[in-house]
Amino acid sequence: MGADELVIDPWGSAQSTDYGRIIDQFGLTPMDGESLPSPSKLHRRGIVFAHRDIDQVLEAQRLGNPFGVLTGLMPSGQMHLGHSMVVEQAKWFQQLGGDVSIAVADLESQATRGVSLAKGREIAMAEYIANYAALGLDPEKTHVYFQSTRPVVQRLGFQLGKRTNLNEFEAIYGFGGETNLAHVQAPLVQVGDILHPQLEEFGGLRPIVVPVGVDQDPHLRLTRGLASKTNWFNLKDSSSRGLLVSLSIHDENAEVFGQLPNGRVDKAKVSAVFDNVVEAIESLGFSDIVSSPKQGHVHIPSATSRDKHALRLVLLRLERRLGGLGLLAPSSTYHHFAVGMTGSKMSSSQPKTTLFLKDELATVEKKIKRAFSGGQATVEEHRRLGGNPDIDVAYQYMMYFFEEDDGHLAELNAQFRSGQLLAGEMKQHCIHRATEWMSELQERRDETAHLVKEFLAEDSR
Ligand code: TRP
């Protein structure tokens, strides 16, 4: 690792906001929000700025095939505006037809923040789930569960731990010899969180998208790597044309794949597996399939990269029939962090840096009045030089949270930049919208309070 490489620390207090560099270094794909079906304000405004493999989710949506959303939050304090962004995104996917699972990361919170499981449950119910309901998630299509009471999540994490090691954790997270082991275990539990919705008892094989802040990307890199390493079949571009399917032999499948303990190969078994592969590919309508067990691959000359999702799914389904886990690497989307109200990072342990979803309206007003401003020091200077909406908290909070109307937002932006709109006036606009938004949320919290229990998955009630 070079000295100038970024390491993202999901538990750290510092956060890089050099999003361009994050995209480059970690191989994210920039998000083209405008091209999405009914983009939300987070998409239209470039706040959701990058993704991994979102196409497989959008394709499922287009074809009317199932897809799921999984995200999670640590119950470690009051829920604030920053947390609401993943809920907004989950809601957007839900409206497109996805089923939603949300982890209450109580094990992680206990391990990394010292919150007991009992306290975590209390916070989750009163703060988090109450707000999921108020923010408009559909209780019929949302399953909230606790990490601590879903053993399969922990089991899956443990099982997949076999395919990684401390060197990889050092490379991904920057861990060293002094790292607390809770920080080593938490990512594996999160791997279990992210992958378990694909298990048969949780909805079965389908694309899963994980909307998160970019600080969580290390967990996605880990999860995607681990899922691929367990796969029994590889799909890659052929050097001539089309796609190639090959077998990936490991302990779990050696027997099924005819690899005898004495190092010899059971040809009948190998050819049976190849026949299975050909059949699976044929089910998609391909007819020009060239099966070469000796060379170890099946060639589909007419397949293009557009066929990859469908091929991947039939191969994973075959893997499952043969006894494998059949795990699809998850997709993910990443949002920018809203600035903290003081101009530094938003943090639940520093109440002045954010608005809690349960803040009193008077508190909201006070916090916005004191918020970091992108205006000039004096009115005269502001009129002459104009303000900077990019760092003006009041403007930013309208853009991220409170103002739906793009036209109005663009007007405020231009007026502030030109100096026509003063910093105090911008704050008044923000207070007005924030007050509306927060009191509506409060109302909906009251209306939906009786639904909170319905969000809980059966194993978590
Ligand atoms: N690690 C996340 C946080 O710090 C919480 C979390 C746990 C999570 N499991 C997850 C997020 C799965 C996304 C997907 O808040």
Side-chain angles (χ1 to χ4, degrees), residues 70-74 103 105 108 147 190 193-194 210 212 216 219:
L70 179 126
T71 189
L73 288 165
M74 271 202 262
E108 182 181 6
Q147 286 177 328
Q190 187 152 342
D193 282 327
I194 294 173
V210 184
V212 278
Q216 297 293 304
H219 301 312

Side-chain angles (χ1 to χ4, degrees), residues 73-74 78-87 128 346 348:
L73 288 165
M74 271 202 262
Q78 290 173 274
M79 185 165 170
H80 61 59
L81 281 177
H83 299 128
S84 73
M85 293 163 81
V86 293
V87 178
Y128 287 80
M346 203 188 263
S348 36

Side-chain angles (χ1 to χ4, degrees), residues 85-315:
M85 293 163 81
V86 293
V87 178
E88 275 311 309
Q89 286 199 72
K91 186 170 100 180
W92 182 79
F93 283 114
Q94 184 168 72
Q95 285 163 350
L96 288 183
D99 61 273
V100 173
S101 306
I102 306 183
V104 175
D106 59 346
L107 288 177
E108 182 181 6
S109 191
Q110 181 183 47
T112 67
R113 302 271 168 91
V115 178
S116 74
L117 295 182
K119 185 79 189 154
R121 172 170 278 268
E122 209 182 292
I123 296 175
M125 298 296 288
E127 279 288 329
Y128 287 80
I129 309 176
N131 282 308
Y132 300 165
L135 288 166
L137 284 172
D138 178 350
E140 308 253 315
K141 296 181 201 145
T142 310
H143 309 282
V144 180
Y145 70 92
F146 291 79
Q147 286 177 328
S148 65
T149 57
R150 192 162 276 190
V152 69
V153 159
Q154 297 161 53
R155 193 182 73 214
L156 201 52
F158 193 101
Q159 258 177 313
L160 291 171
K162 186 176 165 187
R163 306 208 170 267
T164 181
N165 58 32
L166 289 174
N167 287 333
E168 189 182 18
F169 271 47
E170 183 189 350
I172 294 182
Y173 298 99
F175 288 169
E178 73 299 338
T179 300
N180 190 296
L181 287 190
H183 283 106
V184 178
Q185 301 211 41
L188 287 171
V189 176
Q190 187 152 342
V191 167
D193 282 327
I194 294 173
L195 293 173
H196 89 282
Q198 298 180 42
L199 302 181
E200 297 307 326
E201 61 274 38
F202 294 98
L205 180 61
R206 65 201 185 292
I208 300 291
V209 58
V210 184
V212 278
V214 74
D215 64 317
Q216 297 293 304
D217 183 55
H219 301 312
L220 279 134
R221 266 179 275 141
L222 177 69
T223 308
R224 287 167 55 86
L226 290 178
S228 318
K229 281 184 218 163
T230 65
N231 287 171
W232 289 19
F233 301 102
N234 295 322
L235 182 66
K236 53 174 195 265
D237 295 317
S238 158
S239 56
S240 52
R241 71 190 193 91
L243 299 174
L244 282 182
V245 179
S246 58
L247 310 189
S248 172
I249 295 166
H250 23 85
D251 290 354
E252 287 78 7
N253 60 28
E255 197 189 328
V256 178
F257 282 0
Q259 310 296 303
L260 301 172
N262 62 9
R264 313 253 302 256
V265 176
D266 179 340
K267 287 205 185 106
K269 274 198 174 165
V270 175
S271 100
V273 170
F274 273 75
D275 288 349
N276 281 323
V277 171
V278 170
E279 234 171 77
I281 300 170
E282 276 172 350
S283 74
L284 293 175
F286 291 99
S287 51
D288 61 336
I289 306 166
V290 189
S291 177
S292 326
K294 276 213 190 97
Q295 287 166 16
H297 62 234
V298 175
H299 184 199
I300 325 161
S302 65
T304 68
S305 57
R306 271 190 312 176
D307 300 310
K308 275 188 182 164
H309 301 320
L311 280 163
R312 215 168 267 138
L313 286 176
V314 294
L315 292 170

